[in-house]
Every structure is written in C-alpha cells, then in structure tokens.
Amino acid sequence: LAMASVCIIVGEARSQTTRQIRHEGGLRTLETYSPLLKIDRIYKSMEGPIESRIVNFQDKGNPLLIWILGYRVDIVSADGQTVLSQEFMCHSNLDLDTEAHRRIFQRQEIDETVVTPLTRVATLSQGQLSMSLPEGFGIPVMSSEDLVIATQVLNLNHPEMDTSVRHKLYLDFILDKDLKTPLRPLFPTAAQVAALVEHGDVYRPNL
C-alpha cells in the first residue's frame, strides 16, 4: 500500500495552522487543527471559546472531484498531539456553502417547500466524536471548494483550570479517480416533525 503525506501551511489573519493530507491506498485523510482555545474558568454548554476557519482539499494543480466519507475529532493539548478528555468538547460543525456547491455542480434549484437545503454537513459532540457514511455513499465536493469548520469547547468540572486546547480534526475522503465502483451522492437536508404533547391535533384543530 502506498503511503504519503503533504504538509501545507494555511495562513489566517490571527493565526496559522498546519494541514496534512495523508493517504493509504485510495483512502485519504485531511488533518487540521482549530486555533488554541483557552479554558480558564467554568464554561457551560454553548458558552465556551469558539473559533471557525475555512479549509479545503486543494493541493497542487487543477481542482479534483472528491468524496467525503467521514469526519472525526479529538481534543488535544496545545502541542497538538496529547489527546485529552472529551469532557472539554462542546461541538465541532462542518459546513459547506450550499449556493456555491449548487453552482459548481450545476444542480437545479431545490424546491424548498419539499426539501430544505442545509449548510451543515455534520456536527460532532461529546459521545459522538466521529461520523462515517455507509459503504457505497459519499458527499461529492470539488477539492477547491471551501468548507467551514466551527469548534467550541466547554468546561463543567474544573473551575481552577487554566490551559489551552485544540480540536484535532480529520476529514476522510477519496478521489473520484481512485474509485473502484461509483458512489451514491448525498447532500445535507433537513426533516421536520411535530410531536403531539397535548390532546388534540394542531394541524386539525376541529378534531
């Protein structure tokens, strides 16, 4: 099996991050980090430090069609290597620009009365630090297509804590040209349901 890695420095206004693309056989993984997130007091859910950044799969040459197969995260110390407790994990969101995505793939406009388009591809949180699609399915994107990763931490148990952590993020993917068999394309959407909590029917109030 062929193994290789590419290390690219992605510059940002406030910081820099190291991005690596590793591959073994056909499966590849983009590894990247969140900025440092400082934990210096109790932070309840959705109240902790949060950062977002743009990533893509582009290396050199022309954009390539790729298929996202999975998304994973670890909470690590400032050195980027020491894995810490997931108790500091609030969430990690992976989003795409649905309008840009539709233009790139020349998809028709979606009837939003039938299907609700979403930017959210995946959300990871405590107890769910990884997501992988069923075999035979993938989310197609171009390697030059920008994705937004938002990362947030929390701290419910250590009021005297004073340290900085990162999210170490893994995006599993495969190049279209490396596929042995075609994949079924998926796209993010939403389903809405109503739960009856009292007697009667809110959609048929006369019943």
Side-chain angles (χ1 to χ4, degrees), residues 65-136:
L65 176 60
I66 69 166
W67 296 80
I68 296 174
L69 303 177
Y71 183 45
R72 299 174 282 129
V73 64
D74 286 323
I75 298 294
V76 297
S77 62
D79 64 14
Q81 301 301 319
T82 306
V83 178
L84 303 177
S85 170
Q86 67 169 292
E87 68 179 300
F88 304 117
M89 173 75 167
C90 183
H91 67 268
S92 176
N93 293 333
L94 176 66
D95 290 76
L96 56 76
D97 184 334
T98 52
E99 291 302 319
H101 186 72
R102 186 179 299 151
R103 289 194 300 270
I104 290 171
F105 287 91
Q106 299 181 343
R107 291 179 53 196
Q108 294 181 348
E109 291 291 324
I110 293 176
D111 182 352
E112 297 189 15
T113 64
V114 178
V115 176
T116 303
L118 285 183
T119 61
R120 183 65 38 81
V121 175
T123 294
L124 302 178
S125 189
Q126 282 189 32
Q128 183 69 54
L129 299 184
S130 65
M131 178 278 292
S132 59
L133 297 177
E135 185 175 354

Side-chain angles (χ1 to χ4, degrees), residues 17-207:
T17 180
T18 300
R19 185 191 78 163
Q20 288 187 325
I21 296 179
R22 304 181 183 275
H23 60 90
E24 181 173 351
L27 182 63
R28 301 168 188 248
T29 300
L30 183 150
E31 296 180 5
T32 189
Y33 294 88
S34 74
L36 285 172
L37 299 166
K38 187 173 180 61
I39 300 176
D40 56 3
R41 60 182 177 87
I42 293 294
Y43 289 108
K44 296 179 181 179
S45 179
M46 304 300 291
E47 294 181 357
I50 184 170
E51 291 280 357
S52 63
R53 66 179 24 171
I54 295 173
V55 299
N56 61 49
F57 299 88
Q58 187 68 10
D59 186 10
K60 297 178 180 178
N62 295 323
L64 299 173
L65 176 60
I66 69 166
W67 296 80
I68 296 174
L69 303 177
Y71 183 45
R72 299 174 282 129
V73 64
D74 286 323
I75 298 294
V76 297
S77 62
D79 64 14
Q81 301 301 319
T82 306
V83 178
L84 303 177
S85 170
Q86 67 169 292
E87 68 179 300
F88 304 117
M89 173 75 167
C90 183
H91 67 268
S92 176
N93 293 333
L94 176 66
D95 290 76
L96 56 76
D97 184 334
T98 52
E99 291 302 319
H101 186 72
R102 186 179 299 151
R103 289 194 300 270
I104 290 171
F105 287 91
Q106 299 181 343
R107 291 179 53 196
Q108 294 181 348
E109 291 291 324
I110 293 176
D111 182 352
E112 297 189 15
T113 64
V114 178
V115 176
T116 303
L118 285 183
T119 61
R120 183 65 38 81
V121 175
T123 294
L124 302 178
S125 189
Q126 282 189 32
Q128 183 69 54
L129 299 184
S130 65
M131 178 278 292
S132 59
L133 297 177
E135 185 175 354
F137 294 84
I139 299 172
V141 299
M142 297 303 295
S143 60
S144 57
E145 201 169 339
D146 287 337
L147 303 173
V148 178
I149 295 178
T151 49
Q152 188 171 28
V153 294
L154 55 73
N155 176 29
L156 300 178
N157 303 308
H158 308 281
E160 304 302 321
M161 189 172 186
D162 187 5
T163 191
S164 294
V165 304
R166 299 181 189 271
H167 288 222
K168 186 175 183 181
L169 303 144
Y170 312 83
L171 275 164
D172 299 319
F173 67 101
I174 190 169
L175 299 179
D176 186 73
K177 66 183 183 67
D178 291 336
L179 290 175
K180 302 294 189 247
T181 57
L183 296 180
R184 288 179 176 267
L186 301 176
F187 65 93
T189 187
Q192 299 180 0
V193 298
L196 186 63
V197 295
E198 296 181 354
H199 296 295
D201 189 328
V202 295
Y203 294 106
R204 291 178 294 175
N206 296 325
L207 295 182

